Amino acid sequence: MRRFFLISFLLGVLVIVMSLVLHFTFPLKAHELPAGFSSPVLAFEFAQTEAEVQALFGPEDSPLREEMIKKMNRGNLYDYIFIPLYGLFLFFFGMDASKYSGNKLFFGASVLAVVVMIGDVVENVLLMSITTQMDMISFQPSLNNLHLFTWIKWGGLSVVFGILGLYLLRSALYTWQQLMGWVGLLMLPLAILAMFIRPLVEIYTLMVAFMFLLLFAYSVWWRVRK
């Protein structure tokens, strides 16, 4: 029992550190953000048209555009370190939830964590291809594919959190764990709303970060409990 959620705890520390590194690596400013967005990174990930991307990065040959492309590409390169960290955090959390509860349903979170990682890798490839293409040729086909894989990642996370939320509800020893479980279950309907109501995207992504912190807190609780 002592080893339950140990790997998730260790990976969770690295996830928090790497998320801070990425925050200061990706660009914090953009030329023009789409309505409902305050983060250039999220605006890029959820961009729907070439015009939005061009407006986001600014005029050709402008210093801001060059700086944004450089920072965006560097951030996406560092993201290849972040992807296995958060993905394996969820993978091992799902495995331990399944073992501790004796319910194989929760192993589904581990399987979906792999799908999320694959979606994130493809998303990064597409993002970097767009920054390469946008001064030369039309990149709308890449944007169409980006929309698909972005939601494979973000939508997949909502299902992972829903499964783990169910685990938290069923295994809760305290009220705060039950509340964490309900937050996890609410992630899927929030993701569906965000797919159709664009201004909700940033709220949803903030809730994703909050859910990671809740799961990390749960793993910390396991490490300090008697």
Side-chain angles (χ1 to χ4, degrees):
M1 181 178 290
R2 291 180 180 178
R3 291 188 177 274
F4 281 123
F5 303 100
L6 172 60
I7 298 177
S8 292
F9 164 71
L10 296 174
L11 287 169
V13 174
L14 296 177
V15 167
I16 292 172
V17 171
M18 196 62 201
S19 64
L20 292 174
V21 171
L22 287 176
H23 174 74
F24 292 105
T25 301
F26 278 114
L28 300 176
K29 296 180 180 179
H31 179 262
E32 182 182 334
L33 287 164
F37 286 93
S38 60
S39 165
V41 179
L42 290 176
F44 191 22
E45 286 186 25
F46 290 94
Q48 296 178 342
T49 65
E50 292 186 12
E52 281 187 350
V53 176
Q54 297 290 0
L56 180 70
F57 283 86
E60 289 187 35
D61 300 323
S62 69
L64 177 61
R65 186 184 184 98
E66 293 177 7
E67 181 184 4
M68 276 195 67
I69 291 175
K70 185 184 298 183
K71 288 185 175 181
M72 202 71 78
N73 287 342
R74 186 185 298 127
N76 282 321
L77 283 174
Y78 288 0
D79 199 34
Y80 286 118
I81 301 173
F82 185 59
I83 291 169
L85 291 178
Y86 82 74
L88 291 175
F89 168 83
L90 294 174
F91 180 87
F92 284 106
F93 200 108
M95 284 189 63
D96 285 344
S98 179
K99 290 177 182 177
Y100 176 66
S101 65
N103 191 332
K104 293 182 179 179
L105 168 67
F106 304 126
F107 182 68
S110 301
V111 176
L112 285 173
V114 176
V115 176
V116 167
M117 284 190 282
I118 294 171
D120 204 351
V121 168
V122 177
E123 178 196 66
N124 280 357
V125 171
L126 290 167
L127 289 170
M128 296 184 75
S129 72
I130 290 171
T131 57
T132 302
Q133 298 170 8
M134 64 182 182
D135 289 336
M136 297 178 292
I137 59 174
S138 172
F139 52 87
Q140 189 61 50
S142 296
L143 275 179
N144 295 337
N145 291 327
L146 176 64
H147 183 73
L148 171 64
F149 285 98
T150 294
W151 276 111
I152 286 176
K153 177 184 78 171
W154 289 107
L157 283 171
S158 72
V159 182
V160 171
F161 292 144
I163 294 172
L164 296 181
L166 188 60
Y167 159 75
L168 291 169
L169 279 174
R170 289 189 175 185
S171 63
L173 299 177
Y174 304 101
T175 302
W176 62 269
Q177 293 171 353
Q178 292 180 331
L179 293 174
M180 289 167 61
W182 281 113
V183 173
L185 288 176
L186 289 172
M187 292 301 292
L188 180 56
L190 181 57
I192 293 172
L193 286 173
M195 288 182 69
F196 298 100
I197 306 173
R198 209 172 177 206
L200 291 178
V201 165
E202 287 214 358
I203 296 174
Y204 169 69
T205 57
L206 283 173
M207 289 301 297
V208 167
F210 181 58
M211 192 64 200
F212 267 108
L213 286 175
L214 291 181
L215 294 178
F216 176 66
Y218 183 84
S219 69
V220 171
W221 173 75
W222 263 92
R223 303 323 313 154
V224 301
R225 66 183 296 207
K226 292 182 180 181

